[in-house]
Amino acid sequence: MKSLAHQSVEEMGGAGSVLSRQKRDHVKLDRLLGRLGAAPPAEQNAVLLQIYRLVFPHAYAEETVLWPVIRRVLVDGHELTLQVELEHQEINELATRLETLEQSSAERHRVLERLVELLREDVRDEEDKLLPALQMKLGVSELRRLGIAWEAVRALSPTRPHAIVSRRPPGNVLAAVPLTILDHCRDGVDSLIRGRTGAASSPLKGLSSSLARASNALERLPGLRRGEDPSTRRGTARPPWAAAAIVTIVAASVALAMAGRKTGKRSSNGAI
């Protein structure tokens, strides 16, 4: 099998083929990892957020669309996809761990180093093994249709690490929309935080943390863990009533953020 790294766009089935779409993302990731390596510690989080927005929707769509096809058409499809699912699982766990570590801690450096190493390893496994094997089983028209499906799912996939939710359908399919909404809200909040310091950022940081807790509670709901392989199962399930707690957490966080904004405006008006 010829690695995608050494194939032209035409060999991969054209720009619309799922192989070409995958490789374009891998090229973008390589550039972002280079930027991350050159960034000072204070600027790493901004680059990491860009990496997350690229790799987590990419991987989620793979797990939802591509890997089921590989398991269906390849004799060793289960083993091949499980290897990558385990890599995805560790990437999610490492990224989640990073969020809890101080910028200057030695552990953060080790976790970040392992995350970068694993992301590069994941690209090689996909370009050298999984995707060429899929290419040998499907025609160009099938690869293009698969590319459209993968792109559509990617647009509706979470942008943050989720180490608890199933890595396989139907659990990950059921979790996609609610987790994506929470993640996009958190992405927006975190973008606002970077433009503020001190007391002005506190309500937003509280909101971001609450959104993260809501996502964590959501992905533990029993139905969202269906279909996963036992080797990637993490955490414990929560009963359905936990969904009500999620709504409460988010609503309270939004109210807190709005109250903080109003307080800030009153303080500004009083200073004039």
Side-chain angles (χ1 to χ4, degrees), residues 1-261:
M1 296 185 295
K2 187 176 181 181
S3 170
L4 298 193
H6 307 299
Q7 292 191 39
S8 66
V9 173
E10 289 72 24
E11 288 177 294
M12 291 185 290
S17 163
V18 70
L19 307 180
S20 297
R21 295 174 191 266
Q22 289 268 305
K23 189 174 179 179
R24 284 198 295 271
D25 271 10
H26 293 165
V27 170
K28 291 176 185 176
L29 175 60
D30 185 65
R31 287 198 295 264
L32 285 170
L33 292 176
R35 284 179 54 195
L36 180 65
E43 298 176 13
Q44 286 179 348
N45 282 344
V47 182
L48 277 171
L49 188 57
Q50 293 181 58
I51 290 173
Y52 294 167
R53 286 174 172 171
L54 175 68
V55 302
F56 289 121
H58 176 108
Y60 212 92
E62 286 176 338
E63 294 165 354
T64 305
V65 176
L66 293 188
W67 298 171
V69 174
I70 287 178
R71 286 192 287 271
R72 176 169 53 83
V73 302
L74 296 179
V75 174
D76 57 349
H78 176 79
E79 291 76 15
L80 287 171
T81 57
L82 182 58
Q83 178 184 346
V84 176
E85 285 170 346
L86 288 168
E87 291 173 354
H88 288 182
Q89 181 63 36
E90 187 178 353
I91 288 168
N92 276 266
E93 291 171 3
L94 290 168
T96 301
R97 178 67 179 142
L98 268 182
E99 295 179 347
T100 69
L101 298 174
E102 294 293 333
Q103 196 80 44
S104 58
S105 73
E107 185 181 358
R108 177 185 168 85
H109 176 75
R110 290 193 297 271
V111 171
L112 186 59
E113 194 173 61
R114 174 57 180 161
L115 176 64
V116 171
E117 175 188 14
L118 201 56
L119 285 169
R120 293 194 184 282
E121 183 180 321
D122 184 66
V123 169
R124 292 276 52 84
D125 284 340
E126 291 178 8
E127 291 196 359
D128 297 345
K129 299 176 186 177
L130 265 76
L131 297 176
L134 180 66
Q135 184 180 29
M136 294 179 67
K137 290 290 185 180
L138 301 183
V140 171
S141 60
E142 292 173 298
L143 290 171
R144 289 174 179 171
R145 284 196 296 270
L146 204 53
I148 293 171
W150 175 81
E151 197 73 63
V153 172
R154 184 175 72 152
L156 299 173
S157 292
T159 59
R160 295 283 183 143
H162 295 288
I164 306 299
V165 75
S166 174
R167 306 252 73 83
R168 293 185 177 184
N172 59 355
V173 175
L174 295 171
V177 172
L179 286 178
T180 299
I181 292 171
L182 288 169
D183 285 357
H184 283 189
C185 289
R186 193 175 172 210
D187 288 345
V189 169
D190 285 357
S191 296
L192 292 174
I193 290 174
R194 290 200 301 273
R196 292 169 169 79
T197 58
S201 66
S202 294
L204 293 173
K205 288 180 179 178
L207 176 56
S208 179
S209 296
S210 294
L211 288 167
R213 289 195 297 272
S215 294
N216 183 269
L218 176 66
E219 59 182 310
R220 290 174 186 270
L221 293 178
L224 306 189
R225 297 160 61 85
R226 290 170 53 200
E228 66 184 323
D229 187 270
S231 61
T232 61
R233 177 176 285 271
R234 300 292 185 273
T236 56
R238 293 189 180 181
W241 52 259
I246 294 169
V247 175
T248 302
I249 290 171
V250 176
S253 301
V254 171
L256 176 63
M258 292 179 67
R261 289 182 62 187

